[in-house]
């Protein structure tokens, strides 16, 4: 997420944004290289007029590169202004080590790294603590032996992104879900267990509309059934009120038109 004021941002926030800009920059550079190569081939093959059509995309890639560099500048400046902070990189191989710098002499120019921005600015002891046996001995020479024997608890950016996605999905699901006010499943007599708010609202309207229908037919004859459906409606209303922190009266008024509509459509 773009950072409005780098001076108040945490090292992790700044590095996370720098890492994002790095990736966007690399993608644009890659696109630019491919487009330029295509233009060259077209010109060589005497089809320069087709090369012109690629010009807007080339401009777009150049523009992205310039924007990424401009966005990174104040963030790099903030890193300098604070006298730097700790950073950690994970080598993307099976059993890859964590390094304090990509310039570590145990690595190669072709080594692929994941930037562990969640560790930026953290104490080195703490980083080693989390990284355990994945800590590079060259980068973290002072790490105690017992910590070196521990398994790594480090998560790659991909793992973190997957976890965030999962949490997001769980949140979306929770937003649609409904339970009884005490968190247990919402059981009703006429509609069974109700799991979603959508079903709860529809069942509420139906229960009251049906109860009204039966009451018109014969209160004496349907007394028990009417009471059951009213009780279902009451349970659903309590669940909805608890979920949204609203009063039952308030929700009852909101749902009244739905009850009316249901009654007219289904039972009148
Ligand atoms: Zn190292």
């Amino acid at each position: 997420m773009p950072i409005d004021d780098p001076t108040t941002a945490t090292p992790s926030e700044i590095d996370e944004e720098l890492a994002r800009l790095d990736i966007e920059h690399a993608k644009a550079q890659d696109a630019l290289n491919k487009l330029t190569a295509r233009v060259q081939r077209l010109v060589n093959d005497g089809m320069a007029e087709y090369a012109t059509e690629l010009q807007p995309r080339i401009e777009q890639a150049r523009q992205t590169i310039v924007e990424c560099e401009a966005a990174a500048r104040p963030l790099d400046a903030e890193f300098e202004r604070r006298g730097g902070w700790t950073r950690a990189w994970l080598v993307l191989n099976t059993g890859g080590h964590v390094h304090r710098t990509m310039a570590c002499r145990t690595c190669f120019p072709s080594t692929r790294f994941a930037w562990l921005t969640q560790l930026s600015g953290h104490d080195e002891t703490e980083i080693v603590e989390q990284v355990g046996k994945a800590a590079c001995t060259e980068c973290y020479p002072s790490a105690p032996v017992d910590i070196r024997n521990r398994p790594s608890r480090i998560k790659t950016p991909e793992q973190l992104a997957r976890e965030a996605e999962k949490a997001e999905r769980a949140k979306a699901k929770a937003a649609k879900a409904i339970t009884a006010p005490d968190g247990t499943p919402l059981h009703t007599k006429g509609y069974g267990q109700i799991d979603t708010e959508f079903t709860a609202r529809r069942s509420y309207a139906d229960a009251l509309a049906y109860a009204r229908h039966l009451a018109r037919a014969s209160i004496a004859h349907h007394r028990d059934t009417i009471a059951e459906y009213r009780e279902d409606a009451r349970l659903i209303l309590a669940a909805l009120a608890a979920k949204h922190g609203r009063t039952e009266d308030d929700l009852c008024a909101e749902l009244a038109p739905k009850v009316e509509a249901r009654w007219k459509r289904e039972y009148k």
Side-chain angles (χ1 to χ4, degrees):
M1 204 190 290
I3 291 170
D4 294 331
D5 181 6
T7 62
T8 59
T10 67
S12 282
E13 285 166 348
I14 290 175
D15 284 353
E16 196 184 315
E17 178 61 4
L18 279 172
R20 192 187 68 79
L21 291 168
D22 267 358
I23 291 168
E24 210 180 313
H25 187 281
K27 273 188 201 156
Q29 186 64 59
D30 188 51
L32 181 60
N33 293 345
K34 282 183 182 143
L35 287 165
T36 319
R38 263 170 75 187
V39 166
Q40 198 53 57
R41 272 200 307 277
L42 287 168
V43 171
N44 290 349
D45 295 347
M47 296 190 281
E49 70 271 25
Y50 292 108
T52 333
E53 287 172 19
L54 295 175
Q55 214 49 45
R57 285 169 62 195
I58 289 179
E59 278 316 310
Q60 180 60 53
R62 285 212 176 102
Q63 181 65 23
T64 303
I65 289 170
V66 168
E67 282 168 7
C68 286
E69 286 169 357
R73 223 165 283 131
L75 304 179
D76 287 328
E78 183 61 16
F79 178 76
E80 293 302 326
R81 190 184 74 81
R82 294 191 205 174
W85 52 68
T86 54
R87 284 172 165 170
W89 278 271
L90 172 70
V91 170
L92 290 171
N93 291 334
T94 322
H97 285 129
V98 173
H99 303 267
R100 83 160 78 201
T101 161
M102 285 192 284
C104 174
R105 67 179 191 88
T106 68
C107 301
F108 305 94
S110 61
T111 303
R112 286 177 56 242
F113 294 92
W115 192 353
L116 304 173
T117 57
Q118 74 270 32
L119 295 178
S120 293
H122 286 231
D123 211 53
E124 233 157 58
T125 356
E126 195 195 319
I127 293 178
V128 168
E129 179 100 356
Q130 285 205 38
V131 169
K133 65 177 179 189
C136 164
T137 48
E138 196 78 25
C139 288
Y140 306 101
S142 61
V145 176
D146 64 318
I147 285 175
R148 281 194 187 290
N149 290 327
R150 279 186 213 162
S152 170
R153 284 184 280 137
I154 232 49
K155 284 172 182 157
T156 65
E158 284 73 20
Q159 282 170 324
L160 289 172
R162 268 203 303 276
E163 280 177 15
E165 239 171 67
K166 218 173 133 188
E168 201 55 48
R169 275 202 303 273
K171 216 173 113 189
K173 199 177 161 196
K176 287 185 195 159
I178 189 101
T179 63
D182 64 359
T184 58
L186 174 57
H187 290 292
T188 61
K189 277 225 169 73
Y191 306 92
Q193 182 176 323
I194 296 177
D195 296 312
T196 65
E197 176 156 358
F198 179 79
T199 309
R201 286 174 178 264
R202 203 186 47 195
S203 304
Y204 172 86
D206 188 70
L208 288 186
Y210 187 53
R212 186 163 157 194
H213 165 71
L214 292 178
R216 296 222 165 182
S218 162
I219 292 189
H221 193 254
H222 299 295
R223 190 172 304 279
D224 291 349
T225 318
I226 293 168
E228 273 177 21
Y229 277 93
R230 288 208 174 129
E231 175 61 8
D232 276 355
R234 196 193 60 76
L235 288 172
I236 295 169
L237 195 65
L240 287 168
K243 179 181 175 183
H244 295 287
R246 293 172 62 182
T247 66
E248 291 182 20
D249 285 349
D250 184 18
L251 268 170
C252 183
E254 181 191 307
L255 293 168
K258 279 194 136 203
V259 176
E260 189 66 25
R262 185 87 184 175
W263 181 69
K264 273 188 186 147
R265 197 169 64 237
E266 302 286 332
Y267 303 110
K268 198 173 177 180

